[in-house]
Amino acid sequence: MSSAICSHLRAPGTWLAVIGFVVIGAAGLALPQWQFLVSVALSKGIVALGLALLLRTGLASFGQALFFAVGAYCVGLGMNYYGLTELFALLATSMIVSAVLALVLGFLLARYRDIFFAMLTLALSMICYGLLLNNVELGGSDGFNVNAPTLGSSAQPWQLTGTNLFAVGFIASIVCVMAVALYMRSTPGRLGPAIKDNEIRVEYLGTSARANIHLTYVIAGALAGLGGALQAFNIGHIDPDMAFWTTSGEFVFIAVLSGTRFAFSPFIGALLLEVARAMAYRYAPNTWQIVMGAIMLAIIAFLPGGLTSLGLVRRKPAGGHPVTRTTATASGDAA
Amino acid sequence: MASKHIIEATGLHKTFGSVTPAKDITVNIDAQSVVGLIGTNGAGKTTFVNMLTGYIKPDRGEIVFRGKRITGLAPRKITRLGIARSFQIPQLFGSQTARENIEIALAISGLSAELANESLARLGVLEFADMISGTLPEGVRKLLDISLAMVCKPEVLLLDEPTSGVAAEEKFDVMNRVLDAARALGITVLFVEHDMEIVRRYSDRVLAFCDGRILADGTPDVVLADAQVRELIIGETVSAAPGTGNVAGEVAHA
């Protein structure tokens, strides 16, 4: 037990996460003007964290915006139709509804791989977008405004805004990274890279690759729902664009940019994306997409394992050439 | 009284379009025996192995393992019951180290990762433990593939051409390591092989496949001396009298 904890503490991912969260927390408290941007990045990082789990399994979902929107709409509908404002109730509802939806859709999607999986997830997300856009009860194209959530159920509950709301996203991100790091070290978590490498061998070792993919999809859905709920709080408004394919593309961008080596990786990508976008908006308002595209091209060309593949261990086989690891490992540099 | 046969295959038949690689194959396999499967390409050896391991479902016929019907079960269920296999082309987790490969297999079997070194040492590949499996030499990859199959301590191990792609000087070493480990664990072994010297040296029994049927069945000396086997499978021109191995229709091993 103690050796497992020591091993966990020695893992480079653990230190990356600790340092990363310390920096994010300090920056959020010291620079209130950046709190909004960092909060948005954290909520997107949580969605990309789930997507990274799918990518470790060799599956690219171009439809995580579906669950992102469902999570956000659970908040909007809960507040507007049911008067639900309590933070934990809203977060739990968003995660549970998203997870249940992913569970149902997973029965179909877990049967597909590669481009078929990607296209089906995209299609489902666009169906959701169409439903939201054309349904007046769901806010139509205008969506809903979302108020600040509250904490506690007393007569005068604590309304969460500003730094408090940043703290909610910050703590949620830490909890998600810790939970996902533990998952990546568990048997189902270690099966992800194994399935990506060789699904046949996984089956012939006595376990179901499809069931593992289904489970991963449910976890990714729940995380996307949580990210959507937090985003609803951050923005104060939800609309059908949250389910649009470009939103899914943004999550894919973040996951590819950061890599899947560590549980913390997606947060680096999300922060970089938001900062780069803010800078590009300011200094290159008409060409910022070109800047982002150039960044992505550079990452794919020079760091196919993402930013956190920098400094990967090189191992030289006997008589062979050095080998660079570009994928998450089984033992997982998980945290 | 319990049957001494660990596997009983009865009337296995499989057709792919106009090709029939399995024509009513009936054969029993004794526990803890080492059985060599020989035959030309397309004779039905791999189809037989694939049916035993659930990769292919036979059109008709039945496979019984330790008294339990396993016909058409999914590979993972058959593996769980105790039949494991290796592949002609090693099926490894190529981006991960040899040790990580074994650790995944151990985790799936609910065993401690601390057994990884023991599993690697069993087939003599411990020195490659920290190398990425996709970069290993073919012989080592074969042994690692077989190590993965043996992790769950199966009762039956099916090896599809364990020495193909292995350097000539390494073939006997590979077989020695595998069969020594299998015997130590009491595992029944069926192996598909084209090298007749390997078959002669390591098999207790040989099944010779031809055109979807078992052409001959018996000890290596008997089967490899069979005129039909020599002519149709080994490729020798035979003018002598017919051999003494059992011929099709008499293949169910009593």
Side-chain angles (χ1 to χ4, degrees), chain A residues 187 190-191 193-194 197-198 200-208 315-318 323 325 327-331, chain B residues 53 55 75-76 79-80 85-87 91-97 100 103-105 107-108 130-132 135 145 148:
Chain A
T187 299
R190 296 183 68 179
L191 279 180
D197 270 352
N198 195 330
I200 290 174
R201 178 41 92 189
V202 168
E203 290 282 335
Y204 276 100
L205 287 176
T207 194
S208 168
R315 298 168 201 228
K316 187 173 185 179
V323 178
R325 307 180 63 140
T327 58
T329 61
S331 59
Chain B
T53 56
Y55 192 72
R76 65 177 180 279
T79 303
R80 287 274 183 198
R85 73 171 290 181
S86 71
F87 296 81
Q91 298 293 322
L92 307 175
F93 305 122
S95 71
Q96 299 175 33
T97 66
E100 286 166 347
E103 284 176 355
I104 290 169
I108 290 172
D130 294 320
M131 288 170 57
I132 302 295
T135 68
D145 190 39
L148 283 175

Side-chain angles (χ1 to χ4, degrees), chain B residues 169-250:
Chain B
E169 65 273 17
E170 291 179 25
K171 286 185 175 182
F172 295 109
D173 186 42
V174 167
M175 289 303 291
N176 283 335
R177 291 182 190 195
V178 171
L179 291 183
D180 286 350
R183 287 194 183 102
L185 296 170
I187 297 172
T188 305
V189 177
L190 281 79
F191 68 100
V192 175
E193 185 56 64
H194 287 291
D195 186 326
M196 294 306 145
E197 186 51 35
I198 297 279
V199 173
R200 185 187 301 279
R201 190 183 289 200
Y202 294 100
S203 308
D204 301 329
R205 177 185 172 196
V206 176
L207 301 177
F209 285 75
C210 183
D211 192 28
R213 289 195 172 87
I214 296 178
L215 182 69
D217 175 6
T219 62
D221 289 342
V222 170
V223 172
L224 297 179
D226 184 285
Q228 284 184 293
V229 171
R230 289 169 63 192
E231 184 171 352
L232 296 173
I233 297 174
I234 301 175
E236 295 176 357
T237 305
V238 179
S239 55
T244 51
N246 294 334
V247 293
E250 303 170 0

Side-chain angles (χ1 to χ4, degrees), chain B residues 96-115:
Chain B
Q96 299 175 33
T97 66
R99 180 179 278 109
E100 286 166 347
N101 271 259
I102 295 293
E103 284 176 355
I104 290 169
L106 288 166
I108 290 172
S109 298
L111 300 170
S112 167
E114 290 171 3
L115 296 171

